[in-house]
Amino acid sequence: MSAPIFSNHGCRLNAYETKAMEELAAQAGVENTVVVNTCAVTAEAVRKARQDIRKLRRTHPGAKLIVTGCAAQTEPDTFANMDEVDAVIGNSEKMQASTWAGIAGDFGTEPVQVDDIMSVTETAGHLIDGFGTRSRAYVQVQNGCDHRCTFCIIPYGRGNSRSVPAGVVVDQIKRLVDRGFNEVVLTGVDLTSWGADLPGEPQLGDLVMRILKLVPDLPRLRISSIDSIEVDEALMQAIATEPRLMPHLHLSLQHGDDLILKRMKRRHLRDDAIRFAQEARKLRPDMTFGADIIAGFPTETEAMFENSLRLVEECDLTWLHVFPYSPRPGTPAARMPQVNGKAIKDRAARLRSAGEAQVTKHLAAQQDKLHHILMENPHMGRTEQFTEVTFDDAQREGQIVTARITGHSGKALMASSD
């Protein structure tokens, strides 16, 4: 009998939970099992999950095949009706030891175990001490989302927002630093909502400042995707005063046109995004931004799309995640007038092209600069701004190397260690 095989789809939080499931499965003695942790963010993500399930069944014909994750939570019947699938478990169930004890046995009598995710009030942030490579660890501090953007199915896969207490987070990070990690990344579904459900309603900036104060040996702290309209004063203070907080923020912007933002039920307008980017860069001149932007949202005209295109330069975005809009059944946007598929594809390509131009500009601006680079493998690391850097000479994996930039390849910087 073989050890279980896990296939992860989607975000860093899914990857974190896949690692936790690996540990739970090992503790329960699960064998000869394939587990697919799905993503539901787009229709394409669900299609890829189904494709992966069919491929894994062909490769492992005698194994139990379990499907979990956001797509399993939001549309369990889609996967339960696949001949290749033996059981479907929900996002809450997948983090419970009892579920894995059942999988190690015969599943009991319920091949579909997906309960109401909205009833979950705690997140399992204590299960593992982060995950990652030898250089960087990811720590889950929040799960779920209380917002209801009209295009998004994720709250129905993740439930309402819930936070890991600050003390638990700090203790985790202390253990990670003791194990030699030089960088920790805070992850969550709606990270800037952290703390709203905790006593005293602390905010994300309070957590960041507490980590940096109580874990003085942590060289680098990084924040994953945030909603800029929810950034609190303490986080802005950390950006301005804490060099160990990395100068890279990934913004959940989604669009650059005010009417589309309202139809998306976002909480910010175009000028809010521009103002935040300007303020953050004023506080930290070396700050770089990534952003999520949707192309072809229902009712989007060419003029509305042009507002998104201009936003790339007006916010000086460097790293774009471009999502061609795809309707998710059960969301309000799926019932709105849809944009032609060819137009969506064309607009997504134009956004990606704008993003590539921004990357080239950023890379060129680093010529001859000294950077502190965290090595992910002997020949590649990342700057504090999360820019990829390649070395001809092997460096020590997991270490922070000071190096001078000698050029770039169009996609990554090149450096020689001083």
Side-chain angles (χ1 to χ4, degrees):
M1 301 289 283
S2 61
I5 295 170
F6 286 80
S7 177
N8 183 71
H9 293 248
C11 64
R12 290 290 186 186
L13 185 54
N14 249 22
Y16 177 99
E17 291 173 344
T18 294
K19 181 66 176 177
M21 286 191 287
E22 289 176 2
E23 296 190 8
L24 289 168
Q27 293 166 9
V30 173
E31 296 180 325
N32 199 31
T33 299
V34 175
V35 181
V36 180
N37 195 15
T38 63
C39 173
V41 69
T42 63
E44 177 65 9
V46 177
R47 186 193 69 79
K48 287 183 177 179
R50 289 169 58 86
Q51 184 182 52
D52 191 31
I53 288 164
R54 295 188 184 101
K55 180 181 178 181
L56 287 166
R57 173 53 77 200
R58 289 193 298 270
T59 309
H60 306 280
K64 295 176 184 176
L65 200 151
I66 313 297
V67 180
T68 187
C70 289
Q73 180 71 43
T74 57
E75 43 186 295
D77 291 346
T78 294
F79 299 98
N81 291 333
M82 294 181 69
D83 293 338
E84 296 86 355
V85 174
D86 293 303
V88 179
I89 60 176
N91 262 338
S92 176
E93 289 77 11
K94 76 182 183 185
M95 307 305 286
Q96 298 171 10
S98 58
T99 300
W100 295 96
I103 290 171
D106 61 359
F107 304 124
T109 58
E110 297 184 38
V112 177
Q113 299 176 29
V114 180
D115 289 338
D116 178 14
I117 195 71
M118 296 301 175
S119 66
V120 178
T121 58
E122 295 182 358
T123 193
H126 61 283
L127 281 177
I128 61 170
D129 282 342
F131 80 97
T133 63
R134 287 169 58 187
S135 57
R136 179 181 296 110
Y138 297 83
V139 173
Q140 179 188 4
V141 303
Q142 184 273 339
N143 202 343
C145 185
D146 291 338
H147 307 301
R148 297 295 181 263
C149 297
T150 59
F151 57 84
C152 187
I153 198 72
I154 297 305
Y156 305 98
R158 288 285 176 182
N160 292 318
S161 180
R162 49 210 189 272
S163 310
V164 179
V168 175
V169 175
V170 168
D171 287 345
Q172 279 188 300
I173 294 175
K174 285 180 178 178
R175 290 193 293 270
L176 289 165
V177 172
D178 288 343
R179 288 165 51 194
F181 286 98
N182 280 322
E183 182 174 298
V184 166
V185 185
L186 304 183
T187 67
V189 173
D190 181 28
L191 200 57
T192 35
S193 71
W194 180 88
D197 57 323
L198 296 176
E201 299 185 4
Q203 295 181 295
L204 181 62
D206 300 317
L207 177 64
V208 167
M209 296 294 273
R210 185 168 177 177
I211 291 168
L212 293 170
K213 178 181 178 181
L214 297 180
V215 196
D217 295 334
L218 172 66
R220 292 162 60 141
L221 179 65
R222 196 178 292 278
I223 299 173
S224 60
S225 180
I226 63 169
D227 198 337
S228 60
I229 199 67
E230 294 183 330
V231 170
D232 59 281
E233 289 184 11
L235 184 53
M236 296 303 286
Q237 180 185 353
I239 290 170
T241 64
E242 294 287 353
R244 291 185 294 145
L245 178 63
M246 294 297 94
H248 168 257
L249 295 172
H250 190 84
L251 309 177
S252 179
L253 297 182
Q254 309 305 345
H255 212 275
D257 182 83
D258 283 349
L259 183 55
I260 292 293
L261 287 166
K262 289 179 180 178
R263 288 172 178 166
M264 287 179 164
K265 208 174 179 182
R266 300 294 294 165
R267 293 162 302 287
H268 72 275
L269 296 175
R270 172 193 186 82
D271 285 349
D272 296 321
I274 296 170
R275 187 181 309 110
F276 173 80
Q278 291 173 343
E279 289 178 359
R281 191 168 278 113
K282 183 179 180 180
L283 295 173
R284 190 78 177 267
D286 57 346
M287 180 69 73
T288 60
F289 298 108
D292 295 332
I293 300 184
I294 295 174
F297 184 82
T299 75
E300 180 189 76
T301 64
E302 178 64 23
M304 291 170 173
F305 168 73
E306 290 283 349
N307 282 332
S308 280
L309 206 56
R310 285 196 297 273
L311 191 70
V312 175
E313 288 194 13
E314 290 171 345
C315 286
D316 198 10
L317 306 175
T318 302
W319 319 109
L320 294 190
H321 288 180
V322 177
F323 294 89
Y325 175 79
S326 61
R328 306 299 289 118
T331 61
R335 301 188 295 272
M336 297 178 185
Q338 303 293 302
V339 175
N340 175 274
K342 185 176 182 300
I344 293 176
K345 186 176 180 180
D346 172 70
R347 291 171 186 175
R350 288 159 64 192
L351 270 174
R352 291 191 182 105
S353 178
E356 290 167 3
Q358 289 289 101
V359 169
T360 300
K361 183 177 78 171
H362 169 71
L363 295 176
Q366 309 312 307
Q367 181 71 34
D368 296 326
K369 289 186 177 180
L370 279 177
H371 277 287
H372 305 296
I373 300 156
L374 179 65
M375 299 306 301
E376 296 186 4
N377 62 55
H379 293 281
M380 191 279 283
R382 291 187 186 272
T383 69
E384 292 171 316
Q385 292 86 5
F386 210 64
T387 310
E388 187 174 315
V389 186
T390 60
F391 290 78
D392 288 334
D393 298 330
Q395 308 295 319
R396 187 178 170 190
E397 184 176 349
Q399 296 304 297
I400 297 174
V401 175
T402 299
R404 190 170 299 279
I405 303 304
T406 59
H408 70 86
S409 65
K411 293 186 177 180
L413 297 171
M414 297 179 288
S416 60
S417 55
D418 277 21

